[in-house]
Amino acid sequence: MVGILHLSVIFLIQGLLPGINSERLGEQMYSSIAGTTCFRRLNATHQTGCSSKEGGSVGVLYFIENQQDFGFLLDSPTSPPYAPVIPPELFTRENLLKLKSAAKNISVVVLINKIDKLTNFTHQLQCPNQYSGLNGTQGTCDVSRPETVWNPQGTGLMHEDFPFPIHYIADPLEIEKIRKCFKKFNDFEYENHPWRSLCSIEVQSFMSAAGNSEICNRRSNFINNLSPVRYCDPLEGKNIYATLFPRPQTVERVETTEKLILVTCRLDSTSMFDETGLGAKDSLVSYITLLNVAHMLAKVLPKNNGINKNVMFVVFNGESYDYIGSQRFVYEMQKHNFPYVHTRTNPLSFENIDFMIDLGVLDDFDNLDVYTLTDVPQIQEFLAKLKSIGKQFGLTVNGKKTVNLPPTSAQSFLREQESFPVGILSSKPSNAFYHSIYDDAVNLMNFTYANKSLDFTSLMSNDLALSYFNETDVQMKIRNVATVLAITLYETLTLKPFKGDEFVNPILIDEVLYCFLESQNCPLLKSTLRSSKGVVLPPIPPPRYVSVANGLREATIWTYRIMGLLVSQKMKDIEKDNCTVPPLNWYSGYSGDGECRLTTQNMTHARSPAFDIEDYDWKSGRYSTWTESTWQQISARIFLRPSKTQEVTTLTIGIVVLILSFVLIFLIRNGSDVLFNEELSRTENTVSEVAC
């Protein structure tokens, strides 16, 4: 009956007060802020990046509008610690190191997406991968000689260690939310900040790893069966490769008579912040160029009739971090462990490589250079053809023999053998947003998706291509470079001039750019699925950061499937049920009706040998040693932080109440016989017992 009465009262209160919100008080106090954060990476000698305190870092919001605003934080902050909110043009090495030196006043840094005054934003080193290339610790790039650097505007902030978290906010609505909070509570009477409640931000991004990769790896591998913990993980992914023609299906020793031409590029990109950095000019252009070269050759050379060389297209992963993918590729080739046994093909060694063409950055599509370390007859012959064919498409190609080589995968091969026959096709670097959050579609000649809904799996004549695109469009610029390279390889393989009138299809280039810069829900990626009917893919581009061994990244999976579709031959009269065992694979295709294709693509590990060699010397610099810290959560939220006066008052009242409660309890305990008449109670009990 009492329970029913209680329920009745509860329902009555809910009926009379329908506006009552049962949300927890804590959830009402905080407002979440969407964004991403800088995180910690380590190598054999250092830790880089950012971390919050274990329980989160809290700072009072303070908007930086100009250079002079830093003075308040560095000289006389009235209520530290603060969280400066910085626009990108002021997010410079000089300013960040000043904040780092004043870490007692700074607990959080917030970067906002406001690009109206932005001219450059690259936080990679001026000499990327300087100590992992050809000359080891000396490097092939010298910052004291500006003409040799490959990232002239690089700040190197990605390689600094910060004692506070750096949180990036891209959403304009979120930026406006924190600006309003700052204006309402913080942006006046700064001398009175200690006595007011202030709008503050809390960032949770505590990184488990510390020190360097050797220390972290040892801690992670410590045997603890009760509670195994990983503090960091090696950066790793997968390399993707495919051959123009199928290789013989045998497993024997290295057959030196088999010759291949390697055409390589890199898949990955990176930035200072988690899950950002599209790498449009950084690596996507060369990646698209390789795909289209492979596709055109597969179209014009469906069979290797009379051709005594094969072409292997390799997309390396993890190259942004001391050439992880290419180092592993070379290591396994030296061990005669590439390709893997399950492919049932002969292992390959350096002796099987006729020569290698490595695609670097293509910041200038009209003026290209072929870099070599030594005089290589095969490269010189290839260069002569490239120059001649390039003129027909408006390209200027020059040869450069130098030790100042671009930071590309070729460095891993040359480090093992300086006479290795390789040419690096690259242009003079001019990307002001290299390895950053702003190397996107806008940076790539302001790319606009044409969405022509045409067959992107066919080749296209020059006249037809110009009916859809202008000569100055990025789709046509990439088409020209890919076509020149494909024709040069064709003539090198066949020893005959190319007489075709159809070239690389700019519609295919348009598709790849859209899929990797704007949305995975695109016709090209759907055509690589076994069945695409009713499939809706994520409307965001796939991240191309190499990451760690927690499953294949989307970009790796799509690269594998794209190469399977484009670098293969369609098999007629084979039904879907009979097209299930590789190298036969079923694709939905451009039409969506499905087709069986004879594929040659495969994967290899892109994981530094340093993590697989027993008792590896971490200080040797032989292989990449990059790891990524583990973390529990990344979040940010704003709230009103109580004033110092309120905090002191609350603490004082709490202490007074605590002392009074102890005193009161002491008095009650000592006077309990009087208060509760214990003597009388004992007497009455005694009398009662005697009476019994």
Side-chain angles (χ1 to χ4, degrees), residues 679-692:
E679 291 295 333
L680 179 61
S681 298
R682 282 198 291 267
T683 303
E684 291 176 350
N685 289 336
T686 303
V687 172
S688 299
E689 290 175 359
V690 172
C692 289

Side-chain angles (χ1 to χ4, degrees), residues 478-654:
I478 298 176
R479 184 212 75 140
N480 291 342
V481 176
T483 297
V484 169
L485 189 54
I487 293 175
T488 305
L489 285 168
Y490 173 91
E491 295 188 356
T492 301
L493 291 169
T494 64
L495 304 178
K496 298 176 182 178
F498 180 77
K499 296 183 178 179
D501 58 0
E502 290 190 322
F503 312 113
V504 166
N505 190 342
I507 300 295
L508 176 58
I509 296 170
D510 187 55
E511 280 295 319
V512 183
L513 285 171
Y514 177 73
C515 297
F516 281 83
L517 290 179
E518 297 186 20
S519 173
Q520 296 173 69
N521 194 35
C522 59
L524 171 63
L525 297 188
K526 288 183 178 181
S527 70
T528 67
L529 300 175
R530 188 171 176 84
S531 175
S532 61
K533 294 181 179 178
V535 173
V536 178
L537 298 173
I540 56 173
R544 289 190 295 120
Y545 171 62
V546 60
S547 195
V548 295
N550 57 353
L552 289 177
R553 304 284 283 178
E554 295 97 321
T556 303
I557 297 171
W558 291 128
T559 299
Y560 178 84
R561 299 200 62 82
I562 290 171
M563 293 189 80
L565 177 67
L566 300 180
V567 194
S568 61
Q569 300 301 323
K570 186 175 180 179
M571 307 298 291
K572 297 180 180 179
D573 303 325
I574 297 182
E575 299 298 325
K576 185 175 183 179
D577 294 341
N578 298 325
C579 188
T580 56
V581 180
L584 295 179
N585 284 283
W586 187 265
Y587 293 88
S588 63
Y590 164 72
S591 65
D593 296 330
E595 54 193 50
C596 185
R597 303 192 72 89
L598 177 64
T599 62
T600 62
Q601 88 279 17
N602 221 309
M603 297 183 183
T604 67
H605 291 309
R607 170 187 166 103
S608 172
F611 299 101
D612 298 320
I613 297 175
E614 189 174 356
D615 297 325
Y616 175 73
D617 181 3
W618 293 89
K619 301 299 188 292
S620 66
R622 172 73 169 160
Y623 295 114
S624 172
T625 54
W626 284 100
T627 57
E628 178 186 294
S629 174
T630 59
W631 63 78
Q632 293 298 318
Q633 64 171 329
I634 289 178
S635 64
R637 55 185 183 175
I638 58 174
F639 65 102
L640 281 183
R641 193 192 77 178
S643 66
K644 294 294 183 183
T645 303
Q646 184 177 346
E647 289 179 337
V648 171
T649 302
T650 303
L651 178 62
T652 303
I653 292 174

